[in-house]
Each structure stands twice: as C-alpha cells, then as structure tokens.
Amino acid sequence: MNRFMYYNPTKLLFGRGQLNQLSKEASKYGKKVLLVYGGGSIKRNGIYDQVLEKLHEVDLEVVEFPGVESNPRVSTVRKAVEVCKDEQIDFVLAVGGGSVIDCTKAIVVGAKAEVDIWDIITKKVKATDGLPYGVVVTVAGTGAEMSRGSVITNWETKEKIGWGSSFSHAQFAILDPAHTISVPKELTVNGVIDTMSHVLEHYFNHVENTPIQDQFCESILRTVKDVGSKLVSDLDNYELRETVMYASTIALSDILNMGYMGDWATHHIDHAVSAVHDIPHGGGMAILFPHWMEYVLDSNNAYRFKQLATSVFGVEVDNKSDLEIAKEGIVQIKNLWKSWGALSKLSDYGITKDTIEIIADKAVQDQAEIGNFKQLNRDDVIAILKASL
C-alpha cells in the first residue's frame, strides 16, 4: 500500500436516541444557530419538532433556512451565506441527507470568506476558515456526515463540482437509524446503491498489498447486498436500517481507502449527467457503474473483477476463464440493483443521445482523462454514456 495520513475530527454519535445529545453538542459553539434543511420531510416525520426542542433546551436562537434541493445549487448556498453574515450566525446545523449536508459544507466556508463561494468550489481560491457545524442525518446513503467532501451544482453554467477543505468537516454527526424509517422505497434504494458505489469506487485500484482494505470493502458489499435485499420489502425494520446507515457512514469516511486511491471516474460521469439533467445521484450510479465495469474490463484487470465476483457474489469459478467470471459478477450487480427497483437506462430519466456530447464535455472539463483504475478520455465517456442509454 501507499503511505498515508488519516485524520477525521468529526464526533460520531450513532444509535437510537442519540438526538438527546444535540443540546449538549450544539451549545458549545455560540448562541445563534442556522438550521438548514430540505423540502420539509423533517416536519412531516416529527424530527423538526424534536430538533427545535433540543436547541431551545439550551436557549439557542434559531434562524431557519429551508428548501435545499436534492442536487444543491450554488445559488442556494449564496443565499444562506448572506443569511449567516447578516444574522451573525455562530453555528450551522444540517438536518437531512447528503444534499443538505453538502450544501451546509459550502455555507459554512462561504460565510467566513470574502470571495464568492463558487471561486472556492472551483479551486480558484483556497478556503481559509469556516463556521462550525453539526449534522443530524435523516437519509442514509451518501456518507457525507464523516467526509469533508461536498458536491455543488451551478445550474446556470450546468456544472456539478466536487470539492472539500479542512474547514468542511462537521464537529459532530448524530445518526439515529429510526430517523430513516420514513424514507420511501425509491430514495432508500438509491441510498443503498450510493453506499455500494462508494465502496466499489474504493475497490477498483491497482495498489498492491491491501488485503485488509479489500476485505473491509468485500464484507461491506456482501452485507449491504444481503441487507438491502431484505430492506426493500421491510422498510420499517430498524435493524436493517441500522446496518445500512452504518455502512453508508463507513463507506465515505476514508477508513476503507487508507493507503490507496480508488477510481472515481463513474462519479465524475454521473456528476456531469446530473449537472445537465438533475437526476438522483444513486439512480445515476445504478445505471452508469455496471456500464463502466463492462467498458473498462479487459484481460489485464480481470483479476480484480474476478475477486469481486467470487468474494461478494459467490460466482463459481470451475471451467471458466477470469473474463467469464468477471462478466458474471457484473451481471449479478445489474440484476441485484434492478431487483430492488432501480432504473437501468438513462433513457428512463428522459435522457437522449442529444445531450451525450455535452455531458462528456462536462465530465472531462477539468482534466483530459478521468479515473485511476483505468483512465478514460472524452471518447471513452461518450461510449459509456451511449451504452447506458
């Protein structure tokens, strides 16, 4: 493996009833809180009232900022940054899923910057500070709560860009699996697939001597595969929700990829797709990842696909070549996600060949080639997109 440094300052509070810790944790950072959330589901399921109760217990003044989109936009971030500055906010609390958390990461950095937040996101300017923030997670899948990374969309320029800074780590993250029980099936499925896609991005690498990391990834994939298949027909099951939520958090906490960098080309492509078409991230990954696998598979890297097929999906190896085993594993992934109800073609989202070249341009606009397991150029991206239609 490669040498590495691991540091994660976020305090993780996981399990039933951990929202009771919110009063104590939030009161450490000042008296005025910006409460950031999405479309209002937290009001329907009661989490909003619980959060306000805990904040008011310690006499915190709450300023609300609702309406964060599923693919958070820089225009929304800018509005919240202005609220932070005008209201002299001390602390930001994100209540929701990955989109709300990603938006909050940009808000807290923008609130302490003298430049436009988009200049920081596009890496023209480095972040120099950020407001402290905490997270109450209500949707499992992105793992954004333990990561410094964030993805923000500029709808005007049709760009969706991943970024992060040392100031975008949460101070604490509260995860109660009971808060995810009300999440509907489609969003649950997208979250489970998003979790698996993060692990798969880590898994596809060429670094030698990573047996522990490999087995971490394989065990999570096996578990999520089995638990996800049960959860789609038993959405009220706390234990299944608990396992999925923990897997989601671990998948993007950088614990799995100590000592190497995974591929991440598929995420680049999906970000480009949703920048143009605003589709759900997990839904896009369900379509794109199997097609990426089919496209990059060759005799030189079949060993990695074979290991995945045998270790995670139990593909039999007798009288089969490595390529045959690898291809069977890819089919298993496709069939699994389809059995959960995930869409299998970009055209299912109304995407046609008319925007393929625009999407490809977006995918490679910052670098001519993307991906670490196998580098892809613009023509490769177009081929994967066409196969995904």
Side-chain angles (χ1 to χ4, degrees):
M1 69 183 80
N2 299 325
R3 62 185 183 182
F4 66 91
M5 183 276 289
Y6 178 77
Y7 172 69
N8 195 323
T10 303
K11 179 188 289 188
L12 177 62
L13 300 160
F14 189 100
R16 195 188 295 273
Q18 287 284 35
L19 190 62
N20 291 327
Q21 302 297 320
L22 178 60
S23 303
K24 174 185 174 183
E25 296 299 330
S27 63
K28 298 175 182 178
Y29 303 101
K31 299 299 292 184
K32 203 166 190 179
V33 178
L34 183 71
L35 176 61
V36 181
Y37 56 97
S41 62
I42 64 169
K43 291 186 176 180
R44 294 189 294 273
N45 59 26
I47 297 171
Y48 170 85
D49 290 334
Q50 295 173 47
V51 167
L52 283 184
E53 179 184 353
K54 294 301 175 185
L55 295 176
H56 289 153
E57 279 181 359
V58 285
D59 298 320
L60 295 178
E61 182 181 350
V62 179
V63 177
E64 296 189 29
F65 189 86
V68 175
E69 309 88 354
S70 58
N71 286 307
R73 301 182 182 182
V74 69
S75 57
T76 302
V77 175
R78 288 174 178 141
K79 291 175 185 176
V81 166
E82 288 305 310
V83 173
C84 287
K85 291 180 177 181
D86 292 344
E87 296 286 344
Q88 296 185 315
I89 295 295
D90 299 313
F91 179 74
V92 182
L93 181 66
V95 182
S99 296
V100 173
I101 301 169
D102 276 10
C103 190
T104 298
K105 291 173 182 178
I107 292 167
V108 299
V109 169
K112 299 291 282 187
E114 298 300 324
V115 300
D116 181 65
I117 184 60
W118 191 246
D119 288 338
I120 295 174
I121 292 169
T122 54
K123 303 174 181 65
K124 294 176 184 175
V125 181
K126 286 187 176 182
T128 57
D129 201 356
L131 288 174
Y133 79 97
V135 173
V136 177
V137 181
T138 64
V139 182
T142 68
E145 61 273 6
M146 292 290 285
S147 163
R148 70 188 186 101
S150 165
V151 182
I152 302 295
T153 298
N154 188 325
W155 193 243
E156 288 68 35
T157 61
K158 295 294 187 288
E159 294 176 277
K160 185 174 181 180
I161 296 178
W163 70 287
S165 84
S166 57
F167 306 103
S168 53
H169 272 294
Q171 300 299 315
F172 63 86
I174 294 173
L175 290 82
D176 183 342
H179 292 162
T180 69
I181 288 176
S182 62
V183 176
K185 180 180 176 181
E186 180 181 356
L187 190 54
T188 298
V189 168
N190 284 344
V192 177
I193 292 172
D194 195 11
T195 295
M196 293 185 73
S197 76
H198 292 153
V199 181
L200 288 167
E201 293 279 29
H202 294 317
Y203 192 75
F204 283 103
N205 69 86
H206 293 294
V207 177
E208 296 181 351
N209 193 32
T210 58
I212 293 175
Q213 295 94 320
D214 287 358
Q215 291 178 67
F216 278 164
C217 290
E218 290 161 3
S219 66
I220 291 173
L221 289 169
R222 281 195 303 271
T223 301
V224 174
K225 171 178 69 73
D226 296 340
V227 169
S229 296
K230 297 174 183 176
L231 179 58
V232 293
S233 58
D234 192 7
L235 295 173
D236 294 336
N237 190 303
Y238 175 88
E239 285 75 19
L240 299 178
R241 293 280 189 181
E242 181 180 55
T243 300
V244 165
M245 195 173 210
Y246 181 59
S248 167
T249 300
I250 292 298
L252 209 61
S253 65
D254 289 330
I255 290 174
L256 301 183
N257 56 304
M258 291 184 187
Y260 67 90
M261 174 65 75
D263 185 74
W264 298 99
T266 314
H267 271 71
H268 274 282
I269 299 171
D270 180 70
H271 290 167
V273 171
S274 57
V276 177
H277 292 283
D278 201 24
I279 70 171
H281 175 59
M285 295 305 293
I287 296 165
L288 293 168
F289 219 112
H291 288 290
W292 171 85
M293 296 173 81
E294 290 173 339
Y295 186 81
V296 304
L297 173 64
D298 60 34
S299 57
N300 293 321
N301 61 32
Y303 70 94
R304 197 62 171 164
F305 290 89
K306 175 185 177 181
Q307 184 174 330
L308 176 70
T310 56
S311 298
V312 176
F313 292 94
V315 174
E316 297 292 337
V317 300
D318 292 345
N319 302 315
K320 299 174 187 174
S321 68
D322 285 358
L323 280 171
E324 288 173 329
I325 296 166
K327 289 176 181 178
E328 191 171 335
I330 297 171
V331 170
Q332 293 260 19
I333 292 175
K334 275 187 175 181
N335 290 342
L336 176 70
W337 292 347
K338 188 174 181 179
S339 74
W340 292 349
L343 301 181
S344 57
K345 304 189 297 279
L346 291 176
S347 57
D348 293 333
Y349 284 112
I351 299 172
T352 68
K353 63 181 181 180
D354 295 342
T355 56
I356 291 298
E357 295 205 6
I358 297 172
I359 295 168
D361 288 338
K362 300 291 183 185
V364 298
Q365 69 178 12
D366 293 328
Q367 53 197 93
E369 293 184 323
I370 57 174
N372 298 302
F373 183 72
K374 188 166 186 177
Q375 292 192 320
L376 306 176
N377 59 30
R378 182 179 183 274
D379 290 340
D380 296 321
V381 173
I382 288 174
I384 292 170
L385 289 169
K386 285 182 176 178
S388 302
L389 286 174

